[in-house]
Amino acid sequence: MVTVWFSLVVLCWVLFFVLEGFDFGVGVLGPVLGRDDHERGAIVRTVGPFWDGNEVWLVAAIGVTFAAFPDWYAALLSGLYLPMTVLLLLLAVRGVALEFRGKGDGERWRRRCDTALAASSTAIVLLWGAVLGVLTHGLALGADGQVTGSGLNRSLGPLLSWPALAGAGLALYAALLIGAAFLALRTTGPVHARARRWSVRVAAVGTVSLGGAGFATGSRLVLAAAVLCMGITLVARHGRELVAFGGTALGVAAAVVAVFTAHGDVVLRSTLDPAWSLTMTGAAATDSALRLLSVVGVVVLPGVLVYQAFSYWVFRRRVASERVPS
């Protein structure tokens, strides 16, 4: 039962990072690929029907982590409360920019909303990447399962480590790649052409960079990522947008799974003493609580998946970025 619920926790985080990943990528790329107000509006409309539904998976991931693994949740939130608070504020800014872009009058208002969307999306991606980097490295857990330290150093210190900085850089790269692939899949006209070129170039850069890093470090996982980027480069260059987007989504999903399973049954590593690390069994709720959660999950989870799949089907048509002659 513990393994099943850990798998569900990872699934929720995977769905969040994949689905919101292209939302964030679109937000970052909006001012880059949209040359005028009309094109930037088309870019925003590609995620308009989906972004708030995608964000539900963050609520689900946090809620399931809290219910099924309360000790893990407590250690994460106590150790990373400041970046998590900043993330919530940035998500609010992004939501306001998306919802209010069309509410004001004039191009100047929409330009400000586009700037706020790009800035908040970039900051969110960097912060989430840093958090994932921290998860692979671990936190300063004491024998009582609580994060030691005090003040800003307790929350900001882990984010300034090399794993966190590497995670931030890789997350931004992934957001750019999946965002460009999504826009190439969801648009027509000049934005489509630019997004397709961007997806090819970003994937090619990833092939070279990850390939070099893989050979230098001997990491099979990094080499596999380089091979995936090479495949994305080839299919995107030949106009296979759906395959390119699917491959990018698969790569993001695999990276998230790798982060959460990096230490086997240890869900949060202690950097002070390995014996103080949190394991799945040690951080899990009671068996009776997990059984009750299973009943709720069987009822709720399929409904959410069906509804979201239906919404993607309804809004499956591409968004035109070219101007229609009046």
Side-chain angles (χ1 to χ4, degrees), residues 251-269:
V252 173
V256 176
V257 172
V259 167
F260 281 93
T261 60
H263 303 292
D265 66 341
V266 173
V267 294
L268 187 59
R269 177 176 170 270

Side-chain angles (χ1 to χ4, degrees), residues 283-307:
T286 63
D287 289 340
S288 59
L290 292 179
R291 284 194 294 270
L292 178 61
L293 285 174
S294 299
V295 174
V296 176
V298 167
V299 174
V300 174
L301 187 60
V304 175
L305 291 172
V306 169
Y307 167 77

Side-chain angles (χ1 to χ4, degrees), residues 177-191:
L177 181 56
I178 197 171
F182 180 77
L183 285 173
L185 176 66
R186 288 278 293 138
T187 59
T188 64
V191 170

Side-chain angles (χ1 to χ4, degrees), residues 5 21 24 36 43 96 138-139 142 159 166 176 198 211 221 246 258-259 310-311:
W5 273 101
F24 298 144
D36 56 32
I43 289 172
V96 169
L139 290 171
L159 296 181
L176 291 173
W198 261 77
L221 186 62
V259 167
F310 177 72
S311 68

Side-chain angles (χ1 to χ4, degrees), residues 46 183-188 192 239 241-242 315-320:
T46 63
L183 285 173
L185 176 66
R186 288 278 293 138
T187 59
T188 64
H192 167 78
E241 286 98 1
L242 181 59
F315 297 102
R316 67 188 181 277
R317 295 186 182 278
R318 292 176 183 254
V319 177

Side-chain angles (χ1 to χ4, degrees), residues 69 141 180 312:
F69 300 93
L141 291 177
Y312 276 93

Side-chain angles (χ1 to χ4, degrees), residues 24 36 40 112-113 115 137 153 174 181 189 191 198 203 208-209 215-216 228 235 247 249 251-252 281 293 313-314 325:
F24 298 144
D36 56 32
R40 289 190 294 271
R112 288 176 176 175
C113 288
T115 301
H137 180 66
N153 184 59
V191 170
W198 261 77
V208 175
S209 302
F215 282 113
L228 179 61
V235 298
V252 173
T281 305
L293 285 174
W313 173 256
V314 169

Side-chain angles (χ1 to χ4, degrees), residues 137-146 148 266 268-279:
H137 180 66
L139 290 171
L141 291 177
D144 58 355
Q146 299 298 313
T148 61
V266 173
L268 187 59
R269 177 176 170 270
S270 172
T271 57
L272 300 178
D273 188 335
W276 296 343
S277 301
L278 284 177
T279 63

